[in-house]
Amino acid sequence: MLVVGAGRLAKLVAVKSEPSSVSVMYRGGEKAWMRETTKQISQVNELEIPRYPYIFLALPPDGIKDFIYWHGPYLAEGTVIYIPATSLYTEQVEVPAHVRKAAAKFAGHAERAAAGSEENVFVVNSSRSSDRKYLQSWLGNAFTVIEGSEQEVETANKTAVEETLRMIVNLEKRLQEQNVSKTVQKAVLRQIPAGVIEAHMNGSHGEFAAGILEQMERGDQHENG
């Protein structure tokens, strides 16, 4: 597998994937995360691209299209290109006839996933199950790769971002209205939302949060008759 890119998603798949050595093609000098990881990161130049049968394009939509335009004609017969950009559907991407494309969308937040230890999920949409199986074997046990639709991941990611931002903005407003100091605001914003979400997912709320959740559930039941 060749990983193209050096941003958050490239970091996630390179650092947490199964192999001890990962080939990466990126612009510019070595990135900080490449020095910090125990993985061996091998920088690949453009002339070496055709020797890789699987390519993971951890790039924004325009970067993916540019890569395929410039390098697609020179890829080996049967090369599989994974397209992870959430907002770019595979049907919007044209590839040469001798190349196959496969959606590989990450359900979550790449930067947090790279720093955490929880399970990470990719959703693959491809005409061949072998594309999903290969990605699963390369990524390894730190990931779960399932078959699904690109629309599902975009909807889930977009909804989660919108609702989280709405929650943060409302929280900041309420704290300001109650004259909570900036120092305390920053402390609770850094820790409480993430902590409450983690506890909710694990079913391990403390007494205070559990009481609030119970009140909210009683209120919902009352509204629903």
Side-chain angles (χ1 to χ4, degrees):
M1 176 81 84
L2 171 64
V3 178
V4 180
R8 293 179 295 185
L9 189 58
K11 174 185 176 181
L12 172 64
V13 298
V15 170
K16 293 210 165 187
S17 58
E18 191 75 14
S20 59
S21 177
V22 179
S23 299
V24 182
M25 193 190 89
Y26 56 94
R27 305 285 186 183
E30 186 182 41
K31 312 304 178 184
W33 64 265
M34 297 176 182
R35 294 190 296 271
E36 294 164 359
T37 181
T38 57
K39 285 283 188 74
Q40 180 184 343
I41 305 296
S42 302
Q43 185 174 13
V44 173
N45 65 53
E46 295 184 359
L47 296 177
E48 298 176 275
I49 293 173
R51 70 184 180 90
Y52 289 90
Y54 294 92
I55 300 175
F56 188 94
L57 295 181
L59 299 169
D62 286 345
I64 290 174
K65 292 177 180 179
D66 285 346
F67 178 93
I68 293 171
Y69 177 82
W70 291 107
H71 302 290
Y74 308 105
L75 298 178
E77 181 77 27
T79 298
V80 177
I81 296 176
Y82 290 103
I83 301 172
T86 304
S87 61
L88 182 64
Y89 291 176
T90 51
E91 64 189 26
Q92 299 172 296
V93 180
E94 293 185 10
V95 298
H98 68 285
V99 173
R100 193 164 72 253
K101 57 186 177 180
K105 310 302 187 184
F106 182 66
H109 192 284
E111 188 171 7
R112 175 168 172 80
S117 58
E118 59 268 12
E119 182 182 53
N120 305 297
V121 175
F122 271 98
V123 177
V124 170
N125 185 357
S126 172
S127 60
R128 300 191 185 185
S129 61
S130 59
D131 296 337
R132 181 194 64 78
K133 293 176 181 177
Y134 174 81
L135 186 61
Q136 178 67 81
S137 66
W138 184 79
L139 288 171
N141 295 331
F143 296 84
T144 297
V145 183
I146 64 173
E147 293 183 6
S149 72
E150 299 172 84
Q151 293 86 348
E152 177 185 21
V153 179
E154 183 183 34
T155 298
N157 285 350
K158 183 179 179 181
T159 302
V161 170
E162 288 176 348
E163 292 301 321
T164 302
L165 287 174
R166 186 175 289 112
M167 178 269 292
I168 292 171
V169 170
N170 289 336
L171 176 55
E172 287 178 327
K173 183 179 179 181
R174 286 189 62 185
L175 293 173
Q176 290 167 6
E177 289 173 348
Q178 296 177 71
N179 298 316
V180 175
S181 69
K182 288 290 185 182
T183 301
V184 174
Q185 284 187 42
K186 289 180 180 179
V188 299
L189 281 168
R190 284 195 183 101
Q191 297 181 12
I192 290 182
V196 171
I197 290 171
E198 184 173 358
H200 189 74
M201 297 297 291
N202 296 334
S204 58
H205 283 305
E207 183 177 348
F208 181 70
I212 293 175
L213 181 60
E214 185 178 346
Q215 290 176 2
M216 293 171 65
E217 290 173 344
R218 284 204 302 264
D220 289 342
Q221 292 171 0
H222 178 72
E223 290 178 4
N224 293 331

